[in-house]
Amino acid sequence: MPCEVESRFLVLYGSQKGQAQSIAEEISELASEHGFTAEISCLSNVEKYNLDSERGPVVFVVSTTGDGEPPDTALRFVKKIKSLPSDHFSHLHYALLALGDTNYANFCNCGKTIDRRLQQLGARHFYPTGHADDGTGLEIVVDPWIEGLWDALKKAFAKMSATNQEATAQGAIAEKKTEQDSQIQEKLDSSVVSLHLLKLSDVETKKNVAEPSVSESENSETSGAPLGASLIRSVPPLSGSSLNVPALPSSFLDVCLEEIPAEEVEGAQEDAHHVAEEGFYEVPVSRALHLTGDDAVKSAILLQLDLSDQDLLYQPGDAFDVRCPNRDDEVEQLLLRLGLKHQRNQRVHLQLRKDTKKKGAQLPSYIPKKCSLEYLLTWCLEIRSTPKKAFVRSLVEWTRDGGEKRRLQELCSREGSADYNRFIRDTNTCLLDLLQAFKSCSPPLSLLIEHLPKLQPRAYSAASSGLRTPGRVDIVFSLVEFPACPEHPERTGLCSGWLTHHVSTILQPSGTKVLAEKARSDSPKIHIRPRANNIFRLPPDPSVPLVMVGPGTGVAPFIGFLQQREKEREEKKDTAFGETWLFFGCRHKDKDFIFREELEKFVENGTLNHLKVSFSRDEPDGNEPKTKYVQHQMLLHSKNIVSILLAKNGCLYVCGDAKNMAKDVNDALMEMIAVELQLDKLESMKTLAKLREEKRYLQDIWS
Ligand code: FAD
């Protein structure tokens, strides 16, 4: 439908890792196809937009980070809107897409906070809020939400123009709504609903319809037996269906490769410059020790990092980002597959395409100006990331074989969503896997730079206290392993796999005494960057009792807490210290009970008053009740825990796996509060929420 003059709307995003930004960019790119003009800005770019005078509809896309905190780029905005008077945004019509992860507490909290506050400030929805869950796949909500947005914008513009006409005709502010207006408003203002409810059949927009180009028999192998679907093969009805394929994303980069003159070969120097710019410090690994036995299912490794040459201070509860490269063999295969094997040492020169239609296109800031191709693929791009549908759509254009083209179209289409989830998202299929499977696909380097995200460092909690071991920080990590599947071979996690290999020359077997060791000139080095956590801290008042819950490597920050407490107890003899509880969990007492000796020592010297351990795969000793996981052990001590939290003003800390443990612990806590205080579920939830608000129930969890 053609749009009237009034077709401009504003897209504002608050992004931490770039997901909200890329969705906002997608919206703004698609806008012109639907007859709209979008202006896009990051929420932190306050000079680029002005909501006080904004008359067009506004679309917010905001993510949530940490324990429900706003992303850094939205912090100021959230703070600012909290202080505005109640009708400040009564002129504003908006839609909001909140991104979150249900594996974490406070799902979509930043989006919900902004939404609530905008409502309080008088702003009105022109489209229901979407809550997209990274835990199940953002696109499940994001895709239909974007599909429905265009229709909602049309209605919003129609309504706004009707209101304006009325205002002009009557020479008055259009307070009175027409019957039609109020019907629309009723729909739009209806309480925030999840976009799971959006009926796709209501969405008129049909774009890029691809007819079936390959018959089932053409698209399957000629073994005779009927074959099931796979990454490269589809079955009816998908193989015979017309497809709604997303619009082709506009390319925005020109990339050329140049020989580097011999006198300018940068190598190490250039790397050092890039590393320093990103805030990393190079530190030697003075000691590496297996904490688990050879027969443990998951191996955990302790690294002692020598900080003595760096001005790096930290508190227990903080973490450190570790910079890691992509694997050499994967970079090699990618170079080979792109036909750029002999250009690896050439310099990558990036420019914005003059004819690009991409709104707000920018050169990626994380790619150093003069880096070589090999450096780019090793240190700058997350080549293991799961290609988004927009990337898959772009790959279609660079695929020669008709059958492969069709399958890629299916995988990015609306009809092929289940196959995309099954063969790409859920299996963490990466670009290299796609290129191995789709042999005739040869994308240009520019496409990779446009679509692959920045290679992110991985965080590891400090497992030590600087008070006890000045000039040193310990971290502990478990080696992440992914079994082979039809889409890709067996793999280890990028950083945990690299670290294990990187320190292999000094790696000591478990059982070796953990002594402080000085770094040597040949000690392996890694790059780290402090990542302060100003909330996950020991309470300033040492008399406050603590409950710590940290199974597996989740125990790391509590080792730091307890080392700090131990030292403080030695130094402040007259001070009263609150009681301390630690709930730890692992599979077997003899294989993966990490930090066992150190924890038992804390118990002996009174630093830790109660150490409660659950072994998920061992039978209990004697008459002890079986407690498979930490939450079961906690339930046995619910009286004490509830009393610490609600009678003695204590603090509860949870650290580790976000996927199951944190939720199970939360459920157990609710149950304990309900039983001990005779409350119903709602009241018990409220009590927990209050503890969170008071920062006495703290989580540091990761997936
Ligand atoms: P990655 O390659 O990043 O893979 C990890 C995730 O990617 C998987 O969980 C999965 O979702 C996905 N994935 C990738 N490929 C596949 C595949 N083929 N199949 C299935 N899934 C796949 N960890 C610790 O061990 N100790 C700590 O003290 C610690 N502290 C942390 C503190 C903070 C603040 C945060 C945010 C995280 C912390 N972590 C800690 C987690 C750590 O940062 C890493 O996430 C972890 O080590 C895995 O990184 P990786 O690069 O080895 O794995």
Side-chain angles (χ1 to χ4, degrees), residues 428 458-461 476-478 480 482 488 493-496 553 702:
N428 284 87
R458 285 11 181 204
Y460 296 94
S461 311
V476 56
F477 66 93
S478 42
V480 177
F482 309 115
H488 62 72
L494 191 67
C495 189
S496 54
T553 50
W702 60 79

Side-chain angles (χ1 to χ4, degrees), residues 209-222:
V209 175
E211 294 304 327
S213 57
V214 190
S215 69
E216 188 201 343
S217 57
E218 280 170 315
N219 200 17
S220 47
E221 284 153 24
T222 48

Side-chain angles (χ1 to χ4, degrees), residues 17 104 317-321 324 382 384 386 425-429 433 456-463 475-483 485 488-489 491-498 531 533 553-554 556-557 655 659 700-703:
K17 287 191 183 165
Y104 295 81
D318 287 347
F320 283 85
D321 280 339
C324 66
E382 187 98 39
R384 282 266 191 99
T386 304
R425 195 197 70 192
D426 297 349
T427 46
N428 284 87
T429 299
D433 304 325
Q456 295 287 350
R458 285 11 181 204
Y460 296 94
S461 311
I475 57 173
V476 56
F477 66 93
S478 42
L479 176 63
V480 177
E481 290 174 290
F482 309 115
C485 63
H488 62 72
R491 284 191 177 132
T492 52
L494 191 67
C495 189
S496 54
W498 173 74
R531 180 173 162 144
N533 184 339
T553 50
C655 181
K659 282 229 156 69
D700 190 7
I701 51 176
W702 60 79
S703 48

Side-chain angles (χ1 to χ4, degrees), residues 643-685:
S643 148
I644 285 176
L645 290 177
L646 299 170
K648 300 179 186 165
N649 257 327
C651 292
L652 185 131
Y653 301 82
V654 182
C655 181
D657 165 44
K659 282 229 156 69
N660 304 309
M661 183 275 295
K663 256 199 207 140
D664 294 342
V665 166
N666 193 69
D667 290 349
L669 281 167
M670 263 189 353
E671 191 181 326
M672 288 182 225
I673 293 174
V675 171
E676 299 301 332
L677 301 187
Q678 304 281 300
L679 297 177
D680 63 19
K681 202 174 165 193
L682 187 66
E683 285 304 314
S684 146
M685 268 168 91

Side-chain angles (χ1 to χ4, degrees), residues 174-200:
E175 281 292 345
K176 259 182 143 190
K177 293 180 179 68
T178 60
E179 199 181 323
Q180 189 195 7
D181 278 349
S182 55
Q183 274 170 6
I184 296 170
Q185 195 57 53
E186 227 166 74
K187 264 193 202 165
L188 301 175
D189 280 350
S190 61
S191 62
V192 175
V193 294
S194 160
L195 259 287
H196 291 290
L197 302 176
L198 233 194
K199 272 195 279 162
L200 278 178

